[in-house]
Amino acid sequence: VPKYVQLTVELPEEASEVAQLALHEGGALGVEVRDSQSPCLPGVRAPNPGEALLVGSYNSANKAQSARRAVERAVPSARIQVEALEDRDWSSAWKDLIRAVEVGRLWVGPPWLTDGAPAGKVRVVVEPKRAFGTGDHPTTRLCLAAVDDYLAVHPRASVLDVGTGTGVLAIAARKLGAARAVGIDNDPISVDLARECAQLNDAEVELSGASLERLKGSFDLVVANILANTLVDLAPLIASKVDDRLVLAGVLAPQAEEVTAAYRARGLTAAGSASEGDWVRLDFHATTSRPHP
Ligand SMILES: C[S@@+](CC[C@H](N)C(=O)[O-])C[C@H]1O[C@@H](n2cnc3c(N)ncnc32)[C@H](O)[C@@H]1O
């Protein structure tokens, strides 16, 4: 007899809330939401663009069936999949998906893998929770490499991380010697988790939900790992924060040209790129470079 029954619901993002309600009303033990607002942990299936993917877990098949009917009534177009989970320690099964990564001088991984971190690496420990940025997503890895490279040459630089998630990039920057590291995110849960993460790493990082408009000053290095359309929208604000170097990730290869054009139009000069799979990182420098450490 399966211990848990899981419903996976895929539907247009606009219909997500009503379906979440239906899943909860069916007596879910928990409902996980994956959508554009809450990027999922690496290794798990992501929703299609414009859609949300909900996972409701139930401790009886009857509850799962009644939740299924409730979702079907609420959102007839939803695609629903029912799956019985084996009787295992499912609350920690996801841990198997989390890997530690080594990028340049950095080791980034979860608390339970720190024993395996090679001596001599700069460690960033990230407890995987709801925020994006455990280190092992290609976009994060690409940014970690850029942060490591920049700070190797400019060890006392100031760094701004736009869309900080877990805070991983800002924390890494600070641990590599940045004189100042600031991380902002428009998701309050991410900001809370990033603060926890900074504390866990004993790293002094300024983390907040401040908007770019409100944020004072400019920075030697600005990193933004957000999706391409957001990067295009934010181009004027992000560009205004760059003293020397800008690094953008979260861009898929076919979107690179559009994102590059948006930042060129703001006076930045393209300075190379890096890629991993379909993901591209775009580097720029400020045309009139101000002095930087
Ligand atoms: C892909 S995650 C990157 C997390 C981390 N910096 C990393 O590299 O792993 C993108 C983050 O940007 C945040 N975000 C999305 N749009 C934003 C915006 N307009 N302003 C600030 N943060 C934003 C999201 O909440 C999310 O935490």
Side-chain angles (χ1 to χ4, degrees), residues 16-265:
S16 170
E17 292 206 2
V18 52
Q20 286 172 43
L21 207 65
L23 289 172
H24 279 297
E25 282 174 353
L29 298 167
V31 176
E32 186 194 332
V33 181
R34 303 177 200 158
D35 60 19
S36 60
Q37 300 304 306
S38 26
C40 48
L41 287 170
V44 305
R45 186 153 74 88
N48 295 327
E51 290 196 328
L53 191 157
L54 311 176
V55 183
S57 304
Y58 301 84
N59 59 5
S60 88
N62 283 344
K63 283 185 192 164
Q65 275 312 336
S66 80
R68 176 188 193 143
R69 283 194 293 273
V71 174
E72 283 168 347
R73 270 196 305 275
V75 189
S77 68
R79 305 189 300 287
I80 308 174
Q81 198 188 322
V82 189
E83 198 184 340
L85 295 188
E86 314 152 35
D87 183 4
R88 63 182 281 195
D89 181 9
W90 72 304
S91 65
S92 64
W94 59 273
K95 284 190 172 182
D96 299 344
L97 298 168
I98 308 293
R99 284 161 305 172
V101 294
E102 286 174 41
V103 179
R105 291 171 287 168
L106 293 161
W107 177 95
V108 181
W112 60 91
L113 293 179
T114 48
D115 284 350
K121 288 273 174 194
V122 175
R123 276 183 207 186
V124 179
V125 179
V126 182
E127 179 88 70
K129 290 190 180 164
R130 201 188 109 342
F132 186 107
T134 53
D136 77 346
H137 192 271
T139 58
T140 310
R141 281 200 297 264
L142 288 164
C143 291
L144 287 168
V147 168
D148 178 44
D149 287 347
Y150 189 81
L151 285 163
V153 183
H154 309 285
R156 298 290 296 157
S158 58
V159 179
L160 169 65
D161 174 16
V162 184
T164 198
T166 57
V168 59
L169 301 177
I171 294 167
R174 184 82 178 133
K175 290 210 131 191
L176 290 170
R180 182 179 181 213
V182 175
I184 57 172
D185 204 293
N186 66 357
D187 168 22
I189 296 175
S190 290
V191 175
D192 286 346
L193 293 175
R195 286 186 179 139
E196 274 178 32
C197 193
Q199 212 163 22
L200 178 68
N201 286 280
D202 205 10
E204 198 192 314
V205 178
E206 297 162 49
L207 295 158
S208 73
S211 64
L212 282 159
E213 288 99 327
R214 287 216 334 263
L215 195 68
K216 289 201 186 71
S218 52
F219 298 79
D220 299 313
L221 170 66
V222 178
V223 194
N225 177 11
I226 321 185
L227 296 175
N229 53 351
T230 310
L231 291 174
V232 170
D233 291 346
L234 294 179
L237 289 167
I238 289 180
S240 73
K241 295 285 160 203
V242 183
D243 273 344
D244 183 29
R245 170 93 23 179
L246 172 66
V247 169
L248 304 175
V251 178
L252 293 165
Q255 302 165 329
E257 213 170 304
E258 189 196 348
V259 175
T260 303
Y263 284 81
R264 277 218 179 102

